[in-house]
Amino acid sequence: MIQAARPARARIVSTGRFSPPRVVTNHDLESMVETNDEWIRTRTGITERRLADKDTGAADMGAAAARIAMERAGITAADVDILLVSTATPDRLLPSTACDIQALLGSHNAAAYDFASACSGFLYGLSLAEAHIAAGQAKTVLLVCTEKMSSIIDWTDRATCVLFGDGAGAAVIQPAEGDGRGILSGYFKSDGTLAELLYRPGGGARYPLDIAVLDERSHFVKMAGAEVFKSAVRSMCDAAGHALERAGVTGDDVDLLVPHQANIRIIDATAKYAKIPPEKVFVNVDRYGNMSSASIPVALDEAVEQGRAGEGALVLMVAFGAGFTWAANVVRM
């Protein structure tokens, strides 16, 4: 049974994105590892991805996306009350990437902190922003998702290096205005027992970076592809179903599905489960690959620019990531 939606408490006011200028195609990868364009395209839908240069960090990309979102919202850095940053690729372990972005933006009035939920980061972040606003702790939240995945990928591992790209997306979130627009529902879950299907074994506090870790290359992402695929499909379908029910809508009501951009087959399976036709599904995995938590905000920003997620559009966003984490939101733009 579809239940009535609760009134929105927070809304997405604006979005922004940053993509590094360097494009690396599947054909470029053929000279780096034993792979080929057809193999990558048929299994993932990816044809190219963007990679940041060595002098561009996660904070730089996040700040660039944030400036665009703030300009579109008509706010200054001083207006930001809370700066939330999702990243699996911090430039350094101390301080937080959020504090580094705060310094770059000059948002001196903001409380700033990082959170980690991998590819589900933007959707977890929407719930965090909504909670801060509902609690009266903030009027303006700046949510930034920034990932330099190229820095944690083993470029000799053809199973993972073909999948990922770099980039950043951002959104300004403020209280809803009572006009029906805003975050209508949110759903998020996790299962830490499956962590070792997609993780970085070394380089943290338990196994600090040393010669052994470097020799084993255990500071890079390791992934059990088939198992991750099955979990992703199952979990994204679960999240989509719950978010639609909590919003009091069905797939027929959705104007646009913006899924995490990891794999075209996962996207197709999720859309089919939610009964959303292909023409209502936003896909840019072919041009960017998997940018972890930056994937959905970059896709949403493109959808807004293209008029596919304009004012009043009902958008379903759904993601799955390392942890495992999964989440979905229904938003009236």
Side-chain angles (χ1 to χ4, degrees), residues 232-244:
V233 171
R234 181 173 60 251
S235 299
M236 286 176 66
C237 290
D238 169 70
H242 279 89
L244 289 170

Side-chain angles (χ1 to χ4, degrees), residues 289-323:
N290 183 349
M291 294 182 289
S292 190
S293 69
S295 288
I296 285 183
V298 168
L300 180 63
D301 186 59
E302 287 196 332
V304 170
E305 282 191 353
Q306 295 174 18
R308 299 183 64 186
E311 185 173 332
L314 190 68
V315 177
L316 169 64
M317 295 176 280
V318 58
F320 171 88

Side-chain angles (χ1 to χ4, degrees), residues 112-201:
Y113 67 90
D114 288 2
F115 63 97
S117 48
C119 303
S120 305
F122 185 70
L123 305 187
Y124 269 60
L126 286 181
S127 292
L128 285 171
E130 180 186 41
H132 280 301
I133 289 171
Q137 297 169 342
K139 290 184 178 179
T140 298
V141 177
L142 177 59
L143 172 59
V144 178
C145 300
T146 181
E147 305 286 7
K148 190 174 181 179
M149 296 301 294
S150 60
S151 68
I152 62 170
I153 297 303
D154 185 348
W155 289 95
T156 68
D157 178 9
R158 65 176 182 173
T160 57
C161 74
V162 302
L163 302 176
F164 296 95
D166 303 333
V172 173
I173 301 151
Q174 293 180 334
E177 297 181 335
D179 58 0
R181 298 168 60 200
I183 301 170
L184 303 183
S185 72
Y187 176 84
F188 53 108
K189 297 281 284 185
S190 61
D191 184 354
T193 65
L194 302 176
E196 293 187 6
L197 296 179
L198 177 55
Y199 74 133
R200 294 176 66 194

